[in-house]
């Protein structure tokens, strides 16, 4: 089954404790992206990757890191989480957004709470 | 700056028709998406428009007018399961997606 898998789905952590949210897709997509979603603000892009070893900042990259060492994986790293990073996070992938339909496939989401 | 406007919330009756509007001001245009998102779940793709006109897909249709910077999503024969948020997103000249904040649609029996 074609899917994007994120882990963990739910996490409560404390300020300053490094964490990683994993994302993996099995569709051989070149494009992957991380979003955060907060009430009233919609989806905001954190980082994206057009291909292996190519990553770029989105609209809200501060406090986050990513890596793309393999095509299928795109982990999101919070080196020193702070309470303002409490949010719902989505990983998404696409064959190539903007070309043709460029439909995004989303993971199920990771709800992160930083105390 | 780039901006996408959608109504925050709409209410409709089961079996009726509802139109959700989206207006955009972006640096260039390379297509517009509509996604559906049920509460606590991931967005799922509904439609894609790049040329002016109406695209029909079952009970859902999406319309685009590039000259007016305007799109709408039309939902017919509303069902309770259509209660969800509907997200409008535009691909700009740099092939980046710009998202609206979404419209929460409430269906009443």
């Amino acid at each position: 089954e074609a899917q994007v898998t994120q882990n963990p789905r739910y996490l409560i952590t404390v300020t300053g404790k490094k964490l990683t949210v994993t994302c993996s897709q099995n569709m051989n997509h070149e494009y992957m992206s991380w979003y955060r979603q907060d009430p009233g603000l919609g989806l905001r892009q954190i980082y994206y990757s057009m291909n292996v070893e190519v990553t770029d900042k989105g609209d809200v990259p501060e406090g986050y890191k990513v890596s793309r060492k393999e095509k299928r994986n795109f982990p999101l790293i919070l080196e020193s989480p702070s309470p303002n990073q409490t949010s719902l996070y989505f990983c998404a992938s696409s064959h190539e957004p903007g070309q043709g339909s460029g439909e995004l496939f989303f993971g199920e989401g990771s709800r992160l709470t930083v105390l | 700056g780039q901006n996408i406007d959608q109504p925050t919330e709409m209410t409709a009756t089961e079996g009726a028709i509802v139109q959700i509007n989206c207006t955009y001001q972006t640096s260039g245009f390379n297509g517009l998406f509509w996604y559906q998102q049920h509460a606590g779940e991931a967005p799922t793709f509904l439609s894609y428009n790049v040329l002016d006109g109406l695209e029909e897909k079952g009970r859902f249709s999406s319309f685009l007018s590039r000259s007016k910077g305007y799109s709408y999503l039309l939902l017919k024969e509303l069902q309770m399961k259509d209660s969800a948020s509907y997200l409008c997103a535009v691909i700009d000249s740099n092939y980046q997606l710009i998202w609206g904040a979404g419209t929460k649609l409430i269906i009443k029996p």
Side-chain angles (χ1 to χ4, degrees):
Chain A
E1 179 188 355
Q3 58 185 4
V4 179
T5 304
Q6 296 178 225
N7 279 296
R9 295 286 315 282
Y10 302 91
L11 179 63
I12 300 175
T13 189
V14 295
T15 299
K17 185 176 181 181
K18 179 180 178 179
L19 69 92
T20 299
V21 186
T22 63
C23 175
S24 180
Q25 51 93 5
N26 63 0
M27 295 169 278
N28 202 37
H29 284 165
E30 294 175 346
Y31 179 91
M32 298 186 74
S33 179
W34 275 103
Y35 291 92
R36 61 178 288 173
Q37 187 175 39
D38 303 289
L41 295 179
L43 287 165
R44 293 184 292 168
Q45 191 177 50
I46 303 170
Y47 270 95
Y48 65 97
S49 169
M50 299 295 283
N51 214 325
V52 175
E53 301 292 359
V54 179
T55 62
D56 282 295
K57 296 178 181 179
D59 299 318
V60 288
E62 296 77 21
Y64 304 94
K65 288 174 59 177
V66 293
S67 68
R68 187 90 182 274
K69 296 176 182 175
E70 307 165 276
K71 198 172 190 177
R72 64 183 294 131
N73 295 323
F74 191 43
L76 179 70
I77 303 158
L78 286 73
E79 293 273 3
S80 183
S82 62
N84 64 11
Q85 292 178 298
T86 292
S87 187
L88 178 61
Y89 291 87
F90 287 105
C91 179
S93 74
S94 174
H95 176 63
E96 198 168 2
Q99 308 296 326
S101 67
E103 173 188 350
L104 277 173
F105 293 84
F106 285 84
E108 292 182 296
S110 297
R111 187 167 293 281
L112 171 65
T113 301
V114 183
L115 302 176
Chain B
Q2 308 206 85
N3 192 51
I4 296 182
D5 289 315
Q6 308 178 231
T8 302
E9 187 175 296
M10 299 181 70
T11 302
T13 305
E14 189 177 16
I17 299 172
V18 70
Q19 178 175 310
I20 302 174
N21 296 325
C22 171
T23 57
Y24 61 90
Q25 301 89 37
T26 57
S27 56
F29 177 86
N30 283 299
L32 184 145
F33 290 95
W34 283 97
Y35 283 81
Q36 180 190 60
Q37 185 179 24
H38 286 100
E41 299 182 7
T44 55
F45 172 82
L46 285 178
S47 67
Y48 172 75
N49 294 70
V50 66
L51 300 176
D52 290 349
L54 187 68
E55 295 276 345
E56 297 186 77
K57 195 183 290 186
R59 294 189 299 115
F60 292 8
S61 302
S62 57
F63 172 83
L64 174 67
S65 169
R66 288 173 296 172
S67 62
K68 296 182 179 179
Y70 168 69
S71 173
Y72 67 73
L73 181 68
L74 190 71
L75 291 74
K76 303 176 183 176
E77 301 169 16
L78 285 170
Q79 302 175 9
M80 297 304 293
K81 67 178 182 179
D82 298 330
S83 292
S85 289
Y86 291 86
L87 313 179
C88 175
V90 172
I91 307 170
D92 71 8
S93 57
N94 294 318
Y95 289 94
Q96 294 305 307
L97 270 171
I98 313 301
W99 293 86
T103 299
K104 183 178 181 180
L105 178 63
I106 299 168
I107 310 296
K108 295 186 175 180

